[in-house]
Amino acid sequence: MSDFVIAPPLQPAVPVLGGGLFPVRRIYCVGRNYAEHAREMGHDPQAEPPFFFSKPADALVIDGGDTPYPAETQNFHHEIELVAAIGQGGQNIAVEDALAHVWGYAVGLDMTRRDLQAWAKKAQKPWEVAKGFDHSAPIGIMVPAAMVALPLTQRIALRVNGALRQEAKLSDMTWDLAHVIAELSRFFALFPGDLIFTGTPAGVAAVVAGDHLVGEIDGIGTVETRIV
Ligand code: MN
């Protein structure tokens, strides 16, 4: 029995290593969080604190699924990212407590309509059409935080059709995960189920239909998708 007047939407969820599903509430993303990527986008990496945008939870593409080439772009870019999954919510979380709020980790892709992002920046318009569209968030299998070595210094890399496109270490982040969570929680009350895409290293570039993307973070996992 339910009072819903239409069938309620499906609950987005990410499969967990060893079984089970992590239900997803919101997807927050950090902009410009690796110095080399900030520079390749024309910005000073030290100029500002982390800033945030979001994607709808149902933008997830579960590992191995196809990512449709989106409409209204001629420049569809990959951004490989560490994803942190919040298991314990909070507001104004202290940096030193922040990692205790993480339930698990995954490898994700913040797929971006780069031409529309450039337009939005120039026109001083919101980023939604550049970042928050359907199928814009491929994600791999989630690993529980207890299985991940800290501090987060692991290698993160993306290959497209076997060719290395992005490679860095998680320790290259301008704002490490604890600072990201602390800062994000000043603006939004975090709840269990929230995902945080933590920014991408240098090497972002365009993909086309048929491309096969495999992202990896040592000790955390992989994400795989094909552009169709
Ligand atoms: Mn990104």
Side-chain angles (χ1 to χ4, degrees):
M1 284 292 285
S2 157
D3 290 330
F4 292 125
V5 296
I6 60 169
L10 293 175
Q11 170 64 58
V14 179
V16 173
L17 185 67
L21 293 169
F22 183 90
V24 176
R25 173 179 177 262
R26 293 182 179 174
I27 302 174
Y28 296 104
C29 304
V30 184
R32 222 173 282 156
N33 197 29
Y34 289 76
E36 284 303 317
H37 174 63
R39 289 189 198 100
E40 78 178 346
M41 299 302 288
H43 298 279
D44 174 356
Q46 305 301 332
E48 55 186 11
F51 68 94
F52 305 102
F53 58 92
S54 60
K55 294 176 184 271
D58 65 359
L60 293 170
V61 174
I62 300 305
D63 194 42
D66 290 340
T67 299
Y69 194 98
E72 301 297 335
T73 184
Q74 312 298 323
N75 197 18
F76 185 39
H77 272 209
H78 55 72
E79 296 190 358
I80 188 71
E81 308 200 359
L82 170 71
V83 180
I86 296 294
Q88 179 193 333
Q91 297 183 65
N92 298 312
I93 295 167
V95 171
E96 56 269 29
D97 299 333
L99 294 187
H101 290 254
V102 177
W103 190 91
Y105 296 95
V107 188
L109 284 160
D110 167 15
M111 298 303 293
T112 302
R113 287 165 161 150
R114 192 70 71 200
D115 44 1
L116 294 190
Q117 186 191 33
W119 162 82
K121 288 176 178 176
K122 190 173 176 203
Q124 299 187 295
K125 296 287 199 278
W127 283 15
E128 265 76 6
V129 295
K131 291 289 197 178
F133 51 95
D134 293 336
H135 314 292
S136 61
I139 190 167
I141 304 302
M142 188 177 294
V143 58
M147 297 173 62
V148 173
L150 298 178
L152 294 168
T153 60
Q154 293 87 339
R155 172 181 169 273
I156 180 171
L158 176 72
R159 289 179 181 273
V160 178
N161 304 325
L164 188 64
R165 286 273 191 95
Q166 295 185 266
E167 184 176 35
K169 295 203 162 203
L170 296 179
S171 44
D172 295 335
M173 286 186 194
T174 303
W175 300 95
D176 68 21
L177 179 61
H179 283 85
V180 164
I181 291 170
E183 184 75 4
L184 183 63
S185 75
R186 296 177 56 219
F187 293 93
F188 304 96
L190 299 181
F191 283 85
D194 291 338
L195 300 183
I196 306 170
F197 281 58
T198 58
T200 198
V204 300
V207 294
V208 297
D211 282 348
H212 182 233
L213 282 61
V214 179
E216 179 178 20
I217 302 176
D218 291 346
I220 291 180
T222 60
V223 62
E224 179 181 357
T225 189
R226 185 176 296 278
I227 310 299
V228 299

